[in-house]
Amino acid sequence: MIISNELLFFFSSLGVFNGIILAVYLLFFTKREELANKFLGLLLLFISIRIGKSVVFFFYRDLGELYRHIGLSACFLIGPTLYYYLRTELGGIKTVPNRWKLSFGFWLSVLLLVGCVYPYEAYPKLWNTRIVSVIYHVWMAYVIVSACVEKVLLKKMILGPRELNRKEVWVLCIYLGNALVFLAFYLVPYTPYIVGALSFSLVLYLLIFILFFGQVPLVQQLRQHRYNNHKISAIEEETMALQLDRLMRERQLYSNPKLKIGDVASAMGISAHRLSQFLNDNLGQNYSNYINSWRVELAKELIAKHHHLS
């Protein structure tokens, strides 16, 4: 491969590799009751397999037909998994409904039956003309149905994006990212084939950026896992809450624009790590949001008293 192709291969395959790593973590290293994470892990796994097929096909077309069969088969399950994830995350569903088990079992049975009777290696023309079309239309149908689940969030995004909370932003990004990858593959006759893989890498890293720089559900669960062995007792929680509230009200530490979490922790006589745990686990917000909430309240009081302030 020439240099440009090497870079293209690197960026297109980067999303596949990291997508599989993240999928494995969500599926096997998060709590069983975190159902939304399991569906998100499946969604990432199926997309990563489908993208992997595209990367291999684009750069190494002579590796046989099995990888094409596996990649296209995984693509068949992306749509249903996206729908289940959105319903679970937005609806707070804790157990898989029986109708979901039946519908997913139906799609899986169809996939296995077609794959056994008409393997890609023996029927490449049938797959490329008929079966692939069915696969993409099933994916499209679920993208449309998922839009109905997301319609309230989509409306808020268009009319008042500031009204979206961080969880809603996260779920919307998952949906829109999936829709973007779908369009990249659906429009392949009119665009370069590798665009789908590059789109996935871009979407994945945008999601990772949002994940680690915002208070989305998965980040909160990761923080909870980190503190599981050092939980704050109810008595200590009450003491820390009163102490922190007194520091903010009486000394107005938040009025210092250069205030750091270490400064607040020192004033309380605890470590910055312990204060961060208390804010995340017990108050449900990070340090920046907590301090800013006090500053916003002060600003509101000033505006109420001094009408010339905007």
Side-chain angles (χ1 to χ4, degrees), residues 273-309:
H273 178 84
R274 196 65 168 168
L275 177 57
S276 177
Q277 177 184 357
F278 172 73
L279 292 172
N280 284 290
D281 283 4
N282 300 86
L283 300 188
Q285 54 186 323
N286 61 25
Y287 168 74
S288 297
N289 287 344
Y290 176 77
I291 295 299
N292 287 336
S293 67
W294 281 96
R295 291 170 177 165
V296 168
E297 290 303 317
L298 176 61
K300 289 163 64 176
E301 292 178 10
L302 292 174
I303 291 172
K305 291 179 182 178
H306 308 284
H307 298 292
H308 67 282
L309 296 176

Side-chain angles (χ1 to χ4, degrees), residues 86 90 143-161 164 168 171-173 175-176 179:
L86 296 177
L90 294 175
V143 169
I144 295 172
V145 171
S146 297
C148 297
V149 176
E150 296 273 287
K151 63 181 179 182
V152 175
L153 301 187
L154 290 169
K155 185 176 180 180
K156 287 174 69 174
M157 181 186 72
I158 296 171
L159 300 179
L164 291 168
E168 292 172 337
V171 174
L172 262 178
C173 288
Y175 171 74
L176 293 175

Side-chain angles (χ1 to χ4, degrees), residues 84-156:
Y84 299 148
Y85 167 72
L86 296 177
R87 287 289 307 275
T88 303
E89 190 71 87
L90 294 175
I93 298 173
K94 301 299 182 183
T95 57
V96 183
N98 289 330
R99 63 181 181 278
W100 290 9
K101 295 178 182 178
L102 291 173
S103 62
F104 192 82
F106 170 76
W107 291 124
L108 189 59
S109 299
V110 170
L111 182 63
L112 293 174
L113 179 62
V114 172
C116 291
V117 177
Y118 302 104
Y120 188 98
E121 185 175 7
Y123 299 90
K125 185 175 181 180
L126 177 64
W127 274 78
N128 292 326
T129 57
R130 301 285 182 85
I131 298 177
V132 169
S133 177
V134 171
I135 288 173
Y136 280 113
H137 279 88
V138 169
W139 190 359
M140 178 194 292
Y142 273 100
V143 169
I144 295 172
V145 171
S146 297
C148 297
V149 176
E150 296 273 287
K151 63 181 179 182
V152 175
L153 301 187
L154 290 169
K155 185 176 180 180
K156 287 174 69 174

Side-chain angles (χ1 to χ4, degrees), residues 214-229:
Q215 284 188 316
V216 297
L218 182 56
V219 170
Q220 295 171 347
Q221 290 161 3
L222 290 174
R223 287 170 177 157
Q224 290 171 3
H225 295 332
R226 187 177 69 183
Y227 298 131
N228 270 346
N229 297 326

